[in-house]
């Protein structure tokens, strides 16, 4: 292939060819035009799946909130580099990541994908992530632009946000990521428009956001792609600057777009702009470079250095929330002595055996080599006894056995495919010759129950289906229902019970009639025996007979997932009851919270040690074992505020919205800003995190000035805050120095806001020096009337410390 020259290529293309290029061919690829390369996309952000939900395994990285908790751009950039290598192993030119929407409410369904409630922290880490991915000549696709912060009515909801709140909070991570690398940005190559409307206009056709702001003001010259099935118009979307409709086949372009161009609804010049940007992206990825090698197959990047990085990132993102002495006169419970002879550990909890590696939805991958917690602790020489304590599965576990799927297309074409588990997601054609948009199937097979008694079966599906067990109709979903499954397009799980005998083959059959759908669809059949025993009591008895109890609780990829918000912050199932029973039986209890978002902790005061590991990726077991035994120190700091209860949170009265509109009534006061303004004491403040040593801020100084308006455009305007912190404990460790700006009085705004941070390391008794640069923008606010940034006049007080509630005044700078 010859090197691409986009202007000359555009001039040589027919109208039909141009229109073909601006819409996807299938779920993951752009359309083919003779003589031009094809771009392949893949989901992120905590792994690279490739083009199949059941294809080769992928390296599973810590979730976005875990990366946010590292407060470490250098580490996050290394994670981005590894993800870029993984993308190349899958032949993907565009990684659909990072997710940089803010944690507006703690129950947002995709919070685990996002990094923080704070725009400054998110912006610094997102830019580092982008730089890492793009160092491998893989284009990062930052998402979702913009105000796509919850999942309620996610395809249609209108996020009602004032201009100042958008500018100062929700747009910041995107703005910084668009900046050139030499200005501290990421020079991101692709931006994904969100599903939702913003102030009444769909984000994918929002002229003010996509063209006026993103392109004209910020100078973004890359590609804007729709979220999958997020294009809502033909002429309006192209006119606004939406370059690529995904996935294919097209719904709004093709013949519709050719007609719109020919009738003058949208100019061919606008079409040429989008085609040019796509060609420039192909060239940027090196698809026309004979020296650039791209994989044509899909493999797994299972390199030792990748696994080591995942382990390090999981540890760096784990937040030690509490670490007290279980009894007066004793040392903090953690760390346990590594390999201490005869130490009996009761490992308890629904997530305790394997750990929950990741959240659900498009961020999910099939982990390459997951390390279970139970096995990793036993490898450390600990005497570990295990009990799950309770079950939290929102849906019944899929059935494993030998099954066949007999597909039939609407045109009569048939095909048979064997499967080993009764969970199917159809994003592409399910078999050769079967039309993805018009097919049905019969799933049949059998499994052998391992216990006798009452079994519960559950079916959920996009469309209609009927389940038969041993010939009898058990679940009848002939009339389609809409619930929470399959990105909000499928039914709730409908359950029924059947009496089964252990060892006697059980025959199941699901009939899924031929039906037409333009979007993806799926089907999931689960089954499990009904447990009568009191597992909480059994777990407490196990804890009573141990030296220490480690209780791993949390959520999973069904409770935290794309397509649905959580309804509560409470731990699902009987987990709160389980913790209370265990700590009553054994005061030497460690609680490990394995969830991507905050949870309520009614048992907090009774438990000496609590750590939040988020969704830590495939090295979960090794990371947890390292931290519990003191081989490594939990290094994370909270990238969010952990509230005591949902009613304390900023968006409580306005989420999820009414009449198709989500009013951002809290305005600028999200996260810690709200708790400061309302004088509400959280369970744990933003930025909080302990380690296995202690720290003290010992000296601060400020250099630089904020000069007058005549120099307002200078990139040199700003101040440097120098902070000395001393390791006052007995172990080496790290901490994060945080710098907050308090603006002069007179303008309604948060009490203080994070504007910079730095991670430092030191040995016991040693002092580390952190330098935090605060540019003029760190002191600025948005004037919605003049549509410009300005620095309020007066004294800006600078606060430094180790969390949003652990601060000291470092000094002031005057404008």
């Amino acid at each position: 292939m010859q090197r691409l020259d986009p202007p000359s290529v555009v001039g040589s293309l027919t109208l039909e060819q141009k229109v073909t290029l601006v819409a996807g061919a299938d779920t993951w690829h752009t359309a083919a035009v003779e003589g031009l390369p094809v771009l392949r996309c893949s989901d992120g952000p905590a792994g690279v799946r490739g083009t199949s939900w059941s294809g080769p395994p992928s390296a599973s990285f810590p979730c976005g909130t875990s990366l946010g908790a590292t407060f470490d751009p250098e580490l996050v950039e290394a994670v981005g580099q590894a993800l870029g290598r993984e993308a190349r192993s899958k032949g993907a030119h565009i990684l659909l990541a990072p997710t940089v929407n803010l944690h507006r409410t703690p129950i947002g369904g995709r919070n685990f994908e996002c990094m923080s409630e704070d725009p400054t922290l998110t912006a610094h880490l997102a830019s580092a992530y982008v730089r890492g991915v793009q160092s491998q000549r893989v284009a990062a696709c930052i998402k979702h632009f913009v105000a796509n912060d919850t999942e309620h009515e996610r395809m249609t909801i209108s996020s009602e946000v004032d201009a100042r709140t958008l500018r100062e909070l929700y747009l910041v991570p995107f703005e910084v990521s668009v900046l050139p690398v030499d200005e501290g940005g990421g020079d991101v190559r692709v931006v994904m428009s969100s599903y939702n409307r913003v102030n009444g206009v769909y984000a994918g056709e929002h002229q003010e956001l996509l063209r006026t702001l993103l392109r004209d003001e910020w100078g973004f010259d890359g590609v804007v792609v729709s979220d999958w099935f997020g294009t809502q118009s033909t002429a309006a979307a192209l006119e606004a600057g939406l370059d690529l409709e995904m996935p294919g086949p097209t719904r709004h372009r093709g013949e519709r777009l050719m007609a719109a161009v020919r009738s003058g609804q949208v100019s061919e010049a606008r079409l040429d702009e989008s085609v040019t940007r796509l060609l420039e992206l192909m060239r940027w990825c090196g698809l026309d470079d004979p020296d650039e090698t791209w994989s044509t197959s899909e493999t797994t990047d299972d390199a030792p250095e990748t696994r080591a990085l995942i382990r390090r990132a999981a540890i760096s993102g784990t937040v030690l929330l509490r670490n007290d002495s279980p009894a007066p006169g004793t040392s903090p419970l953690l760390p346990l002595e590594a390999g201490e002879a005869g130490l009996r550990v009761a490992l308890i909890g629904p997530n305790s055996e394997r750990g929950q590696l990741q959240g659900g939805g498009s961020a999910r991958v099939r982990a390459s080599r997951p390390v279970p917690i139970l096995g990793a602790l036993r490898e450390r020489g600990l005497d570990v006894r295990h009990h799950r304590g309770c079950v939290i599965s929102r849906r019944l576990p899929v059935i494993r056995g030998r099954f066949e799927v007999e597909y039939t297309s609407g045109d009569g074409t048939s095909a048979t495919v064997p499967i080993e588990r009764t969970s199917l997601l159809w994003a592409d054609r399910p078999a050769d010759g079967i039309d993805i948009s018009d097919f049905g199937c019969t799933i049949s097979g059998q499994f052998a129950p391992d216990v006798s008694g009452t079994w519960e079966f559950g079916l959920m599906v996009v469309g209609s289906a009927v389940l038969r067990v041993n010939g009898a109709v058990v679940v009848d979903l002939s009339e389609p229902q809409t619930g929470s499954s399959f990105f909000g397009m499928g039914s709730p799980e409908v359950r029924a019970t059947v009496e089964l005998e252990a060892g006697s083959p059980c025959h199941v059959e699901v009939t899924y009639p031929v039906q037409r759908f333009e979007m993806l669809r799926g089907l999931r059949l689960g089954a499990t025996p009904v447990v009568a025993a009191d597992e909480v009591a059994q777990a407490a008895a196990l804890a009573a007979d141990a030296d220490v109890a480690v209780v791993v609780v949390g959520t999973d990829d069904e409770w935290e997932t794309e397509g649905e918000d959580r309804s509560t912050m409470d731990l699902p199932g009987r987990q709160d009851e389980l913790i209370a029973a265990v700590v009553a039986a054994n005061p030497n209890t460690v609680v490990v919270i394995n969830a991507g978002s905050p949870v309520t902790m009614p048992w907090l005061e009774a438990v000496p040690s609590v750590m939040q590991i988020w969704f830590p990726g495939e090295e979960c077991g090794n990371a947890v074992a390292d931290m519990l035994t003191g081989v490594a120190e939990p290094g994370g700091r909270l990238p969010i505020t952990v509230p005591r209860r949902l009613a304390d949170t900023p968006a409580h009265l306005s989420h999820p919205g009414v009449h198709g509109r989500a009013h951002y009534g809290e305005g600028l006061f999200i996260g810690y800003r709200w708790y400061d303004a309302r004088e509400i004491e959280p369970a744990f403040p933003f930025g909080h995190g302990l380690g296995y040593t202690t720290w003290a801020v010992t000296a601060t100084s400020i250099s630089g000035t904020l000069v007058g308006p005549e120099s307002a455009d200078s990139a040199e305007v700003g101040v440097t805050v120098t902070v000395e912190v001393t390791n006052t404990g007995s172990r080496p460790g790290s901490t994060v120095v945080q710098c907050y700006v308090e603006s002069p009085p007179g303008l309604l705004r948060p009490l203080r806001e994070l504007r910079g941070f730095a991670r430092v390391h030191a040995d016991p008794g040693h002092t580390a020096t952190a330098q935090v640069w605060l540019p003029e923008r760190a002191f600025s606010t948005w004037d919605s009337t003049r549509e410009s940034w300005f620095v309020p006049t007066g004294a800006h007080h600078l606060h430094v410390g180790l969390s949003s509630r652990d601060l000291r005044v470092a000094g002031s700078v005057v404008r």
Side-chain angles (χ1 to χ4, degrees), residues 527-577:
T528 191
V530 176
V531 177
D534 186 349
E535 294 189 282
V536 169
Q538 292 174 343
L542 186 72
D545 193 40
D547 297 312
V548 62
V550 176
V551 189
V552 186
V553 296
T555 59
D556 61 20
D557 56 358
E558 294 171 343
W559 291 105
E560 294 192 66
T561 185
E562 180 178 355
E564 185 179 20
D565 296 323
R566 293 189 294 163
S567 61
T568 175
M569 280 177 55
D570 296 343
L571 286 166
R574 300 177 65 190
Q575 293 182 97
D576 287 332
E577 181 186 351

Side-chain angles (χ1 to χ4, degrees), residues 131-148:
R131 290 193 298 269
V133 171
Q134 294 189 168
S135 71
Q136 307 302 306
R137 216 165 178 178
V138 173
C141 174
I142 199 165
K143 60 184 186 180
H144 308 84
F145 192 66
V146 61
N148 184 193

Side-chain angles (χ1 to χ4, degrees), residues 619-638:
E619 283 289 312
C620 174
N622 283 329
V624 170
D626 285 351
M627 291 182 288
L628 289 178
T629 59
V631 173
E633 176 192 53
R637 300 297 184 264
L638 283 174

Side-chain angles (χ1 to χ4, degrees), residues 131-392:
R131 290 193 298 269
V133 171
Q134 294 189 168
S135 71
Q136 307 302 306
R137 216 165 178 178
V138 173
C141 174
I142 199 165
K143 60 184 186 180
H144 308 84
F145 192 66
V146 61
N148 184 193
D149 307 300
T150 58
E151 293 298 279
H152 176 71
E153 297 178 1
R154 69 187 191 130
M155 303 291 285
T156 57
I157 195 77
S158 179
S159 298
E160 303 290 308
V161 200
D162 66 88
R164 185 178 168 204
T165 298
L166 270 175
R167 288 282 190 162
E168 295 191 19
L169 295 178
Y170 299 98
L171 287 169
V172 171
F174 296 95
E175 180 182 5
V176 175
S177 295
V178 165
L179 287 173
V181 172
D182 60 4
E183 295 181 26
D187 192 26
V188 70
R189 293 293 81 214
V190 185
V191 172
M192 179 186 289
S193 63
S194 54
Y195 287 128
N196 53 290
R197 293 175 291 155
V198 180
N199 298 324
V201 181
Y202 278 107
E205 55 191 52
H206 206 299
Q207 281 264 5
E208 183 180 347
L209 288 172
L210 296 184
R211 189 168 295 281
T212 304
L213 177 70
L214 181 63
R215 296 206 186 279
D216 296 343
E217 182 181 331
W218 293 353
F220 177 66
D221 60 357
V223 168
V224 174
V225 60
S226 72
D227 203 341
W228 269 226
F229 301 105
T231 306
Q232 301 293 339
S233 63
T234 299
L238 187 69
E239 183 65 36
L242 181 70
D243 299 310
L244 180 62
E245 176 196 4
M246 288 298 285
T250 181
R251 295 187 303 154
H252 291 282
R253 295 190 168 179
E255 292 293 337
R256 290 184 179 185
L257 183 53
M258 285 197 290
V261 172
R262 287 168 177 154
S263 67
Q265 287 182 278
V266 64
S267 69
E268 190 168 354
R270 288 299 195 205
L271 178 60
D272 289 350
E273 289 176 6
S274 290
V275 172
T276 300
R277 286 190 285 263
L278 284 163
L279 294 171
E280 291 284 5
L281 180 60
M282 294 172 186
R283 186 167 68 172
W284 183 91
C285 291
L287 300 188
D288 64 340
D289 186 346
D291 297 326
E292 191 72 27
T293 303
W294 283 92
S295 174
T296 55
S297 60
E298 299 186 32
T299 59
T300 304
D301 176 26
D302 192 32
E305 56 268 28
T306 298
R307 296 194 300 275
L309 176 62
I310 292 171
R311 185 172 178 170
R312 180 161 66 95
I315 292 168
S316 295
T318 292
V319 182
L320 184 59
L321 296 172
R322 180 186 179 106
N323 193 28
D324 291 343
S325 304
T330 62
S331 300
L333 186 53
L334 292 178
L336 307 176
E337 290 297 326
E340 182 179 337
L343 185 69
R344 297 169 301 163
V345 178
L347 182 63
I348 294 166
N351 289 357
S352 61
E353 181 178 2
R354 294 182 303 236
Q356 181 63 38
L357 311 185
Q358 55 191 329
S362 59
R364 182 174 174 78
V365 299
R366 191 156 68 91
S368 173
R369 198 188 300 184
V371 178
I373 297 174
L374 177 58
L377 284 175
R378 284 177 172 165
E379 285 182 359
R380 300 303 192 275
L382 299 173
D383 179 9
V384 183
R385 313 294 170 86
H386 174 257
H387 198 292
R388 68 181 184 180
C390 65
V391 176
I392 64 165

Side-chain angles (χ1 to χ4, degrees), residues 396 453-459 467-470 472-475 494-500 506 526-531:
L396 302 179
T454 302
W455 280 65
E456 194 169 26
F457 287 79
L459 178 67
L467 166 66
R468 291 176 175 83
V469 177
N470 292 331
V473 174
V474 173
V475 175
V494 180
R495 297 185 180 186
T497 57
V498 178
E499 297 298 317
L500 298 179
C506 173
T528 191
V530 176
V531 177

Side-chain angles (χ1 to χ4, degrees), residues 48 54 124 184 346 356 370 560 652:
V48 186
S54 57
H124 281 288
Q356 181 63 38
E560 294 192 66
H652 179 63

Side-chain angles (χ1 to χ4, degrees), residues 249 408-411 435-440 462-464 480 512-521:
T408 304
S409 267
D411 62 3
D435 183 353
I436 179 61
S437 61
D438 187 21
F439 76 90
V462 178
S464 61
Y512 181 75
V514 174
Q515 43 203 309
R516 176 172 286 278
F517 287 96
E518 296 298 328
M519 300 171 73
L520 68 85
R521 50 175 129 177

